[in-house]
Amino acid sequence: MAGPVLQVENIDVFYGASQILFKLSLDVEQGQTLALLGRNGAGKSTTFKSIIGLAAPRSGSVKIKGQDVRGRAAYDIARAGIGFVPEDRQVFPEHSVEDNLLIAIKKGPEGQDYWNIARIYEVFPLLEGMRGRMAGRLSGGEQQMLTIARTLMGNPEVLLLDEPSEGLAPVIVAQIGALIRRLAEMGVTLILAEQNMHFCLKVATHAAVIDKGQIVYRDTIAGLKANESIKQRYLSV
Ligand SMILES: Nc1ncnc2c1ncn2[C@@H]1O[C@H](COP(=O)(O)OP(=O)(O)OP(=O)(O)O)[C@@H](O)[C@H]1O
Ligand SMILES: [Mg+2]
């Protein structure tokens, strides 16, 4: 058996003098969709920032397929196979949808070239229909899809999505959920940082709950679904 695609072990992360993450560990295996769930301010975005090198952990390790990348520059970690979709989506507003995609094309760390413009349009037919449109004109949900698609163009080993359902209408959230499930069926390994537990119960395979910078629960998504006390204590259902 191959080990985890991404394995974070015992990271301590600080902003200035204040410690934000405490001995945090998580891992995800090929094809899994891990939901990192927690309330406002629990440390979800900081976990992602520390994985991608924007808030380097002071101790512990961040391994991509066994290789420790902790302390490396963010561009170097991206090249090692971490694809990151930030909360605020960040499309290039003055450029077309297609240019937004083409700018990001890159082989994966092991030369993977599965994702290209044709494959993206196959999975995201909506984007093909608006390929010439300025990205800044897209709706929030369309921009979320474009950012996910653009990140896939870099053929990452694992895709980190920070609050993919945030601020979107329920019908659009359902579309994003269907898209995430489709990607998972295609073998994409994902971690979703979310406050929205109901969304995660529908799309994830595994769950980790974070509270005050610590992982307080780890199980399959079915295990979380059945655990009323964890849901009430940490996820305000
Ligand atoms: N740049 C920063 N400097 C200092 N403290 C920060 C900084 N960014 C976040 N924090 C603090 O770190 C803690 C974790 O924040 P983080 O953004 O990781 O939470 P989150 O789980 O992503 O929350 P949300 O659901 O609101 O996105 C919070 O207490 C927050 O106030
Ligand atoms: Mg956040």
Side-chain angles (χ1 to χ4, degrees):
M1 268 299 291
V5 178
L6 176 69
Q7 183 170 34
V8 175
E9 277 183 306
N10 289 319
I11 57 169
D12 286 313
V13 176
F14 294 73
Y15 285 131
S18 48
Q19 185 164 6
I20 307 295
L21 302 183
F22 299 83
K23 296 265 170 277
L24 184 141
S25 301
L26 56 81
D27 56 79
V28 64
E29 295 192 11
Q30 180 71 48
Q32 290 181 345
T33 300
L34 173 67
L36 177 64
L37 280 154
R39 294 198 183 105
N40 221 320
K44 304 179 295 297
S45 297
T46 303
T47 301
F48 280 0
K49 283 178 195 160
S50 60
I51 292 169
I52 67 172
L54 292 182
R58 198 174 280 186
S59 53
S61 60
V62 176
K63 291 181 183 154
I64 305 170
K65 289 191 164 170
Q67 182 188 29
D68 193 357
V69 299
R70 178 174 75 92
R72 290 208 210 155
Y75 69 84
D76 207 14
I77 295 176
R79 200 174 292 158
I82 306 282
F84 173 56
V85 176
E87 240 168 324
D88 55 3
R89 290 159 204 163
Q90 297 180 0
V91 298
F92 298 107
E94 304 292 323
H95 291 270
S96 69
V97 164
E98 188 150 295
D99 282 348
N100 266 268
L101 293 168
L102 290 175
I103 204 169
I105 192 160
K106 188 165 61 66
K107 286 187 179 167
E110 290 168 8
Q112 300 97 322
D113 59 1
Y114 181 82
W115 292 102
N116 53 40
I117 195 82
R119 186 88 62 184
I120 287 290
Y121 286 155
E122 202 180 300
V123 179
F124 299 79
L126 186 85
L127 294 180
E128 183 169 27
M130 42 180 78
R131 64 205 287 176
R133 199 180 298 178
M134 294 295 118
R137 298 273 183 85
L138 268 49
S139 71
E142 290 160 356
Q143 290 192 12
Q144 180 65 264
M145 286 186 197
L146 176 57
T147 317
I148 293 171
R150 192 180 62 199
T151 308
L152 285 169
M153 287 287 275
N155 288 283
E157 299 277 6
V158 54
L159 191 58
L160 312 182
L161 306 182
D162 199 354
E163 309 238 17
S165 80
E166 193 192 19
L168 301 176
V171 57
I172 311 297
V173 172
Q175 283 174 20
I176 299 283
L179 171 67
I180 289 170
R181 279 200 302 263
R182 168 107 194 260
L183 295 177
E185 280 162 16
M186 295 173 79
V188 177
T189 306
L190 293 129
I191 307 183
L192 321 171
E194 270 292 344
Q195 294 194 36
N196 185 341
M197 182 186 63
H198 296 286
F199 175 73
C200 292
L201 291 179
K202 291 191 198 115
V203 305
T205 59
H206 292 75
V209 176
I210 182 171
D211 185 57
K212 300 190 185 86
Q214 292 181 292
I215 298 292
V216 292
Y217 179 78
R218 177 75 227 253
D219 203 348
T220 61
I221 203 75
L224 174 66
K225 196 172 188 173
N227 195 322
E228 293 305 326
S229 75
I230 289 288
K231 288 192 287 188
Q232 292 200 353
R233 194 152 155 209
Y234 297 109
L235 302 168
S236 43
V237 281

